[in-house]
Amino acid sequence: MRYNLFARQHNEIILTARILLMLLFLLTGWAKLTGFAGTVSYMASLGAPVPEVAAAIAVLMEFFVGILLVLGFYTRPLAALMALFVLGTALLGHPFWNMEGAERMANQINFFKNIAIIGGLLLLVVTGPGRYSVDGH
């Protein structure tokens, strides 16, 4: 009863959450797609064994899976897959435990932002996409 406003806006809030969760991925995924050579170079600088494949996976997950999650298509399995991808990028891309000073702090913040995003994605796994979605539930 106390939270009735939120119950009535359930589907609108889930749609907003899907959009906000994926906004970052859509922007960075598009940049990776349109600047693919630079993305490959960045993956190589991280020590990815096959930078071209790593770059393609990043584009696929960030941009294309991001679009599907905004649309609410296969939301539960794709949100779970995206959570695993984000965990991988946190562990591989922000190893703050190996750093010192300002670099450590910046990477620690980004690492825990990734962990927070995983929390939002896990909520999507549990709640589903809501009414305003291709999945429609």
Side-chain angles (χ1 to χ4, degrees):
M1 290 181 214
R2 191 183 330 188
Y3 303 110
N4 214 12
L5 169 68
F6 300 116
R8 286 190 301 246
Q9 303 303 317
H10 177 97
N11 291 298
E12 292 79 8
I13 292 170
I14 292 174
L15 172 61
T16 303
R18 289 194 338 255
I19 293 167
L20 293 175
L21 273 170
M22 290 301 107
L23 184 60
L24 170 67
F25 295 105
L26 293 173
L27 294 172
T28 58
W30 178 251
K32 286 176 173 77
L33 177 62
T34 58
F36 194 74
T39 304
V40 171
S41 295
Y42 175 69
M43 295 299 172
S45 77
L46 292 176
V50 186
E52 295 82 4
V53 173
I57 290 169
V59 168
L60 174 72
M61 291 301 299
E62 292 181 23
F63 189 68
F64 294 105
V65 171
I67 288 172
L68 293 175
L69 285 171
V70 167
L71 295 174
F73 183 74
Y74 281 97
T75 303
R76 291 173 194 259
L78 288 179
L81 183 63
M82 182 66 89
L84 290 173
F85 171 75
V86 174
L87 178 60
T89 61
L91 293 171
L92 297 173
H94 304 294
F96 67 91
W97 49 89
N98 294 330
M99 300 172 182
E100 298 293 328
E103 182 184 32
R104 178 184 175 99
M105 181 57 71
N107 277 276
Q108 185 175 9
I109 289 168
N110 283 314
F111 177 88
F112 284 105
K113 282 182 183 178
N114 280 22
I115 299 304
I117 291 167
I118 292 169
L121 289 163
L122 291 176
L123 281 173
L124 273 182
V125 170
V126 172
T127 63
R131 180 180 349 144
Y132 304 114
S133 65
V134 174
D135 292 347
H137 25 53

